[in-house]
């Protein structure tokens, strides 16, 4: 049979090649003729049967793969790692053991084997046990590790001439796979793979492990060392020397209750703020409640615009125009899964139009003393295009310092908002769904009370987080960490957790680091005068309106 | 013969009387020229309003939306008084009247106050508080600061006109004068025509009859 001919099907003893069929079908007369003949009908029947057989075979293979999945690496997109390290790890000055380490996409972006770490730390104050399946990781702190075999076995290396290189190691793709720490849900990016004995293993970022275990880890002479008598401490000086803040565009940590900044980096740089915009939206909603314009008990009719937005790629919760949802329900939708359509529905409810609401946002920005560059274009933080021939993509933007002013004001004026922002999960009956909070720190750190994530291509992965602390008199303080512009969610989560831990650490130490505080820019006289007068106007209207609610 | 004598004597008498009258008239004219001129005369000078409007605009633009208020609608060209005094000893003095300067400054501040109230109305409307009138805004300011806008600008010393000493250095001068017929001789050099008509003095140049200054009689201080 010529190579160009392909065996298409077989019926009985006759074999019809592709070339034959094509020749026949290219001829209209023959096509018509064939259609009416049994040859054609048989050909199609045979082809269908063959196709059916192939499909069945594929399904069978898929089923086998799925059943095999439970005992092996999940068939998510697999990732092959060539940047591998047999990291020497010494605990409390003991002899070093090997911890399998993956450098995730970049050198020194270390993800270490949990089983190897657990085995090395077993019997120390920072010991932990764990179970890993194809889909879930469970850590149990302060428990001795139960070995399963294969722990602390180096990656196999291959010799290629004079070079020695590690073999390729396969895991699934980096992601937040189900993880529990002492029975509580946690959200850390991880790889799932297998160890030398084929036992399921998980790899976590070395910084995350240090924070989970609250253990002092450091590198010395190429060896990772642990002192299990010391807790994880953030040394901001050392981090800054190592270029810690280069990973993000801007950052700020401080006591929002007192308005004291602990540390900052490029805090005056105006950056796109994505969905952290919704903190301003929330503030104006609370102002409107206080002014009697709306009430928490109100029902809000979903507008055409909000419904349309919910059907786009930026929609979070499907909504229909005319639906009525409780205002409280929409607030949870706004802050937990970052529902853009909820923002729009609430804005239009308060001000009749998003335009008018945005005008209020900008006015509030001026009132709070934001930088001149701070500007809002919409109520949700999505990028928009300008209405011009040379249209450009623009987003709400402000600085980290502006955001600190915003959240300080929000949390001091309306401390009750943390009841919403600290909620991990909420059932929304109107929309028949349960929504989860996108803020990973709620799961990963104690005392975290919010506040809001934000992600767009331009803004990067950003997070405004907050933790509640109490001073020696029992008075509550909210420590806030603001981070804009991390490359991805994994970096955002790790950096933000370090920043927030640092903030709590400083607060607990009672010593605010000496730092040159840039004084807030003084407002021009005319602006200060306008704000003072209009402030009295708003108070006057609240007093005379007669519909003012008591503060929630 | 007798009739011719009478005619000649009559003609001589009439001529004398005419000449005498003419003499008296001329003398009086001369005397009225100098005596009419002496005293103080007041002229209103219109300053270029750009300075005041720019100063107001600069202050107002410190506030958000300040640039949206049209300052020219509220501040016109300021007017000040120039006092020209002719003394009987042949000296003259010209000066900018301070009181008029203060009044012009006050008027400019009043204009800025009205512009500021418009700004308040714009800002209030932005946050849903429509219909703030000038009176409302003034009252609001009174309640918030204890004074209205004009008082505030006065209290804070906001100046919208060029400094007084600057204007004075431009307008204030002195010298000598003399009168010859209807000509006014300034500092023994320049010559101007002048005309006094009741309480009005007009001084104009021979070279350019369009150039003139008009003064009104000014009550002495």
């Amino acid at each position: 049979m010529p190579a160009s001919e392909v065996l298409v099907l077989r019926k009985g003893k006759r074999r019809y090649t592709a070339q034959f069929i094509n020749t026949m079908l290219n001829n209209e007369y023959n096509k018509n003729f064939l259609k009416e003949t049994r040859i054609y009908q048989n050909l199609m029947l045979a082809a269908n049967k063959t196709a059916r057989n192939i499909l069945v075979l594929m399904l069978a293979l898929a089923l086998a793969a799925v059943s095999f999945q439970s005992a092996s690496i999940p068939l998510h997109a697999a990732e092959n790692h060539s940047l591998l390290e047999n990291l020497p790890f010494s605990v409390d000055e003991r002899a070093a053991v090997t911890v399998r380490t993956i450098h995730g996409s970049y050198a020194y972006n270390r993800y270490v084997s949990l089983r190897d770490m657990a085995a090395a730390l077993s019997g120390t104050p920072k010991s932990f046990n764990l179970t890993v399946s194809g889909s879930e990781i469970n850590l149990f702190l302060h428990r001795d590790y139960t070995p399963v075999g294969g722990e602390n076995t180096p990656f196999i290396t291959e010799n290629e001439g004079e070079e020695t290189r590690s073999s390729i190691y396969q895991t699934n793709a980096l992601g937040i796979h189900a993880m529990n720490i002492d029975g509580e849900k946690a959200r850390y990016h991880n790889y799932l793979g297998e160890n030398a004995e084929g036992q399921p293993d998980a790899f976590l970022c070395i910084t995350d492990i240090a924070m989970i275990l609250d253990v002092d880890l450091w590198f010395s002479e190429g060896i990772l060392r642990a002192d299990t008598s010391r807790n994880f401490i953030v040394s901001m000086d050392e981090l800054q020397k190592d270029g810690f803040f280069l990973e993000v565009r801007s950052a700020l940590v401080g006591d929002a209750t007192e308005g004291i900044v602990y540390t900052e980096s490029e805090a005056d740089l105006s950056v796109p703020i994505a969905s952290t915009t919704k903190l301003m939206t929330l503030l104006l909603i609370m102002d409107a409640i206080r002014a009697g314009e709306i009430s928490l008990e109100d029902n809000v009719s979903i507008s055409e615009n909000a419904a349309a937005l919910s059907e786009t790629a930026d929609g979070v919760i499907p909504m229909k125009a005319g639906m009525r949802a409780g205002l409280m329900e929409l607030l949870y939708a706004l802050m937990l899964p970052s529902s853009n359509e909820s923002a729009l529905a609430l804005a239009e409810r308060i001000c009749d139009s998003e335009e008018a609401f945005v005008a209020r946002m900008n006015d509030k920005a001026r009132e709070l003393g934001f930088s001149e560059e701070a500007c809002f274009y919409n109520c949700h933080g999505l990028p928009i295009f300008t209405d011009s021939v040379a249209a450009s993509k623009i987003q709400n933007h402000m600085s980290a310092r502006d955001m600190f002013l915003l959240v300080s004001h929000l949390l001091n004026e309306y401390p009750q908002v943390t009841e919403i922002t600290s909620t991990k999960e909420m059932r929304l009956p109107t929309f028949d769904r349960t929504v989860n909070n996108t803020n990973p720190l709620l799961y990963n750190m104690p005392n975290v009370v919010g506040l809001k994530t934000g992600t767009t291509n331009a803004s990067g992965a950003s997070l405004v987080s907050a933790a509640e602390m109490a001073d020696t008199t029992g008075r509550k303080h909210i420590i806030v960490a603001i981070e804009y512009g991390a490359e991805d969610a994994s970096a955002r989560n790790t950096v933000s957790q370090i920043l927030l831990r640092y903030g709590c650490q400083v607060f607990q130490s009672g010593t605010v680091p000496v730092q040159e505080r840039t004084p807030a820019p003084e407002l021009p006289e005319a602006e200060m005068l306008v704000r003072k007068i209009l402030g009295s106007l708003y108070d006057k209207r609240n007093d005379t309106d007669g519909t003012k609610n008591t503060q929630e | 013969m007798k009739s011719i004598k009478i005619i000649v004597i009559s003609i001589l008498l009439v001529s004398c009387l005419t000449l005498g009258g003419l003499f008296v008239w001329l003398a009086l004219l001369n005397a009225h020229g100098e005596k009419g001129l002496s005293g103080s005369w007041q002229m209103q000078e219109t300053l270029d309003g750009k300075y005041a409007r720019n100063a107001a605009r600069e202050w107002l633009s410190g506030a958000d939306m300040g640039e949206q208020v049209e300052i020219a609608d509220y501040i016109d060209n300021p007017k000040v008084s120039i006092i020209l005094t002719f003394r009987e000893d042949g000296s003259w003095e010209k000066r900018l009247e301070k009181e008029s300067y203060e009044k012009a400054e006050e008027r400019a501040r009043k204009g800025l106050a009205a512009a500021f109230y418009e700004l308040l109305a714009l800002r209030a409307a932005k946050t849903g508080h429509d219909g703030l009138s000038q009176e409302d805004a003034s009252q609001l300011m009174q309640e918030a600061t204890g004074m209205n806008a004009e008082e505030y600008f006065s209290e804070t010393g906001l100046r919208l006109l060029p400094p007084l000493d600057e204007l004075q250095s431009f307008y204030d001068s002195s010298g000598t004068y003399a009168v010859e017929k209807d000509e006014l001789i300034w500092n023994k050099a320049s010559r101007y025509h002048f005309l006094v008509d009741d309480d009005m003095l007009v001084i104009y140049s021979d070279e350019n009859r369009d150039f003139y200054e008009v003064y009104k009689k000014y009550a002495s201080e």
Side-chain angles (χ1 to χ4, degrees):
Chain A
M1 186 184 298
S4 60
E5 290 179 284
V6 174
L7 188 63
V8 173
L9 50 81
R10 183 183 296 180
K11 170 133 179 77
K13 290 181 183 176
R14 310 213 46 184
R15 294 195 290 184
Y16 298 95
T17 65
Q19 189 179 28
F20 166 73
I21 293 172
N22 282 339
T23 302
M24 295 303 290
L25 290 178
N26 279 339
N27 184 309
E28 281 297 320
Y29 171 79
N30 286 334
K31 198 190 288 183
N32 290 331
F33 172 75
L34 278 176
K35 275 184 185 174
E36 293 169 7
T37 65
R38 285 193 64 184
I39 297 173
Y40 178 84
Q41 289 167 359
N42 288 337
L43 280 172
M44 290 303 109
L45 193 64
N48 285 342
K49 276 190 179 172
T50 306
R52 273 205 303 273
N53 290 340
I54 292 171
L55 188 60
V56 165
L57 185 59
M58 284 171 65
L59 282 171
L61 284 171
L63 194 62
V66 166
S67 62
F68 188 63
Q69 180 181 340
S70 60
S72 182
I73 303 166
L75 275 184
H76 302 296
E79 194 164 330
N80 292 324
H81 304 278
S82 58
L83 286 174
L84 304 172
E85 182 183 6
N86 293 320
L87 182 64
F89 178 41
S90 167
V91 178
D92 296 334
E93 307 275 305
R94 297 202 299 246
V97 296
T98 296
V99 170
R100 284 188 166 192
T101 301
I102 297 169
H103 292 238
S105 302
Y106 299 94
Y108 308 120
N109 184 23
R110 288 188 170 98
Y111 285 76
V112 293
S113 158
L114 272 185
R115 287 207 182 278
D116 289 355
M117 292 292 286
L121 287 165
S122 192
T124 71
K126 300 296 181 185
S127 66
F128 66 99
N129 197 11
L130 85 154
T131 62
V132 182
S133 69
S135 55
E136 194 174 75
I137 306 164
N138 285 286
L139 261 70
F140 305 95
L141 301 180
H142 309 297
R143 304 264 191 92
D144 283 337
Y145 174 65
T146 305
V148 297
E151 290 87 352
N152 303 119
T153 306
F155 285 116
I156 297 167
T157 55
E158 292 166 352
N159 289 326
E160 279 189 5
E162 293 179 354
E163 286 186 5
T164 302
R165 57 188 224 91
S166 303
S167 55
I168 299 295
Y169 179 68
Q170 191 177 77
T171 66
N172 63 353
L174 183 69
I176 300 182
H177 305 106
M179 183 169 169
N180 300 295
I181 299 176
D182 289 339
E184 294 289 327
K185 197 173 176 179
R187 292 172 64 84
Y188 287 97
H189 282 78
N190 57 73
Y191 292 105
L192 290 174
E194 291 178 349
N195 72 0
E197 294 288 320
Q199 295 296 324
D201 197 0
F203 292 75
L204 255 69
C205 170
I206 200 169
T207 318
D208 289 340
I209 289 181
M211 289 193 284
I212 291 168
L213 302 179
D214 198 13
V215 65
D216 188 17
L217 288 179
W218 74 99
F219 276 99
S220 170
E221 296 168 350
I223 299 173
L224 177 64
R225 297 182 188 275
D227 183 345
T228 60
S229 67
R230 294 200 327 216
N231 291 339
F232 178 81
I233 293 287
V234 178
S235 168
M236 195 48 70
D237 287 341
E238 281 182 30
L239 285 177
Q240 283 176 332
K241 277 182 207 159
D242 288 342
F244 173 73
F245 285 116
L246 294 175
E247 188 162 16
V248 297
R249 288 182 76 180
S250 66
L252 185 149
V253 183
D255 181 340
T257 305
E258 299 292 341
I260 299 173
V261 174
Y262 294 161
T263 191
E264 60 180 80
S265 171
E266 301 290 347
D268 294 306
L269 183 67
S270 195
V271 295
I273 60 170
S275 281
T276 61
T277 294
K278 294 179 173 88
L279 288 165
M280 173 61 95
T281 306
L282 177 63
L283 173 59
L284 291 190
I285 293 168
M286 299 307 293
D287 281 349
I289 294 171
R290 176 182 278 183
E293 293 173 33
I294 50 170
S295 158
L296 279 173
E297 286 73 40
D298 281 352
N299 281 325
V300 176
S301 179
I302 303 301
S303 62
E304 296 270 357
N305 292 331
L309 179 58
S310 77
E311 289 170 14
T312 67
D314 295 315
V316 175
I317 298 174
M319 294 184 180
K320 294 233 181 298
M323 271 176 101
R324 292 182 70 76
L327 192 137
M328 202 64 193
E329 220 178 340
L330 288 174
L331 283 179
Y332 276 99
L334 176 77
M335 299 308 294
L336 267 61
S338 196
S339 166
N340 299 308
E341 50 280 325
S342 299
L344 186 53
L346 288 164
E348 289 182 330
R349 168 64 179 81
I350 292 169
C351 282
D352 293 333
S353 74
E354 188 185 12
E355 200 179 48
F357 189 86
V358 169
R360 264 199 207 190
M361 293 169 88
N362 284 311
D363 211 52
K364 194 72 180 182
R366 301 284 84 82
E367 185 187 316
L368 293 177
F370 285 13
S371 60
E372 271 187 42
E373 292 79 15
C375 190
F376 292 94
Y377 300 100
N378 56 43
C379 59
H380 36 62
L382 290 169
I384 59 172
F385 278 89
T386 55
D387 185 11
S388 59
V389 171
S392 52
K393 203 173 184 184
I394 54 175
Q395 299 188 36
N396 299 341
H397 54 268
M398 59 203 262
S399 68
R401 197 183 309 283
D402 292 335
M403 180 53 77
F404 186 62
L405 289 173
L406 167 60
V407 298
S408 297
H409 178 79
L410 173 66
L411 295 168
N412 283 320
E413 288 295 311
Y414 307 107
Q416 68 272 22
V417 299
T418 57
E419 288 174 24
I420 300 173
T421 60
S422 64
T423 301
K424 292 178 184 173
E425 189 179 280
M426 176 57 74
R427 175 81 186 151
L428 303 180
T430 303
F431 306 107
D432 191 26
R433 61 179 55 219
T434 299
V435 294
N436 295 300
N437 201 316
T438 58
N439 181 358
L441 266 55
L442 282 173
Y443 304 87
N444 297 350
M445 272 182 72
N447 306 324
V448 172
V449 292
L451 293 158
K452 190 71 193 69
T453 55
T455 309
T456 61
N457 288 341
S459 73
S462 307
L463 175 57
V464 178
S465 55
E468 190 177 276
M469 307 289 288
D471 62 21
T472 50
T473 68
R475 184 171 165 240
K476 286 180 190 171
H477 292 247
I478 305 288
I479 307 303
V480 164
I482 298 162
E483 171 276 310
Y484 282 115
E487 188 174 300
D488 54 36
S490 171
R492 172 197 68 194
N493 298 351
T494 303
V495 167
S496 294
Q497 191 164 345
I498 289 174
L499 289 174
L500 195 57
R501 282 187 76 118
Y502 174 70
C504 296
Q505 189 180 289
V506 168
F507 179 80
Q508 282 173 326
S509 74
T511 308
V512 176
V514 173
Q515 177 181 287
E516 225 176 270
R517 290 183 60 197
T518 310
E522 206 174 288
L523 288 173
E525 186 187 351
E527 181 60 26
M528 278 173 33
L529 195 57
V530 169
R531 290 184 186 194
K532 185 173 180 176
I533 295 166
L534 290 185
S536 72
L537 169 68
Y538 302 145
D539 291 339
K540 197 176 168 185
R541 292 278 168 99
N542 289 341
D543 290 341
T544 57
D545 200 356
T547 57
K548 179 186 171 185
N549 290 329
T550 53
Q551 186 174 342
E552 293 290 327
Chain B
M1 280 301 275
K2 195 175 185 179
S3 59
I4 293 170
K5 259 192 192 175
I6 291 168
I7 292 169
V8 168
I9 289 167
S10 299
I11 291 169
L12 283 172
L13 270 173
V14 168
S15 299
C16 282
L17 281 169
T18 305
L19 279 170
L22 194 60
F23 180 76
V24 168
W25 180 73
L26 279 172
L28 279 173
L29 187 63
N30 228 5
H32 181 75
E34 287 209 32
K35 280 191 183 164
L37 200 58
S38 65
S40 291
W41 302 86
Q42 179 187 27
M43 176 182 75
Q44 200 165 57
E45 175 85 335
T46 302
L47 303 177
D48 188 347
K50 271 189 216 164
Y51 188 100
R53 286 190 283 275
N54 284 344
R57 204 172 281 123
E58 194 182 323
W59 186 89
L60 209 58
S61 64
D64 186 33
M65 296 177 75
E67 65 286 347
Q68 293 184 28
V69 178
E70 188 51 66
I71 287 290
D73 293 344
Y74 294 102
I75 297 181
D76 52 15
N77 295 331
K79 291 176 176 49
V80 294
S81 292
I82 307 297
I83 308 298
L84 174 61
T85 302
F86 292 100
R87 297 196 189 90
E88 288 185 10
D89 63 359
S91 67
W92 62 268
E93 181 191 62
K94 197 169 166 190
R95 64 181 174 85
L96 183 144
E97 192 198 29
K98 191 178 173 189
E99 204 179 288
S100 69
Y101 171 85
E102 292 297 341
K103 277 188 183 159
E105 181 70 54
E106 209 176 284
R107 189 175 160 76
R109 284 181 189 150
K110 196 170 178 175
L112 177 56
F116 181 66
Y117 295 148
E118 184 189 327
L119 173 61
L120 283 177
L122 287 174
R123 289 284 293 270
K126 205 173 148 189
T127 55
H129 296 92
D130 296 317
L132 192 73
S133 67
Q134 291 267 312
E135 291 73 27
D136 292 339
S138 175
Q139 190 181 345
L140 210 55
M141 180 155 181
Q142 184 80 40
E143 288 168 5
T145 64
M147 58 188 92
N148 63 29
E150 285 171 62
E151 288 163 349
Y152 176 85
F153 297 139
S154 176
E155 188 70 24
T156 56
L158 178 67
R159 286 278 169 191
L160 296 175
L161 298 194
L164 177 62
D165 55 355
E166 237 179 67
L167 289 175
Q168 283 176 331
S169 69
F170 180 77
Y171 286 108
D172 291 5
S173 52
S174 60
T176 59
Y177 78 98
V179 173
E180 278 182 19
K181 295 181 187 175
D182 70 337
E183 277 196 337
L184 188 56
I185 304 163
W186 285 104
N187 301 326
K188 300 176 185 172
S190 313
R191 287 177 173 265
Y192 296 98
H193 293 284
F194 75 95
L195 176 67
V196 176
D197 181 14
D198 198 17
D199 64 347
M200 191 179 292
L201 165 65
V202 180
I203 301 175
Y204 58 94
S205 162
D206 197 36
E207 286 78 32
N208 181 358
R209 297 246 166 193
D210 290 334
F211 167 73
Y212 64 92
E213 292 181 350
V214 179
Y215 292 85
K216 278 207 154 181
K217 197 70 183 172
Y218 181 69
S220 55
E221 294 157 33

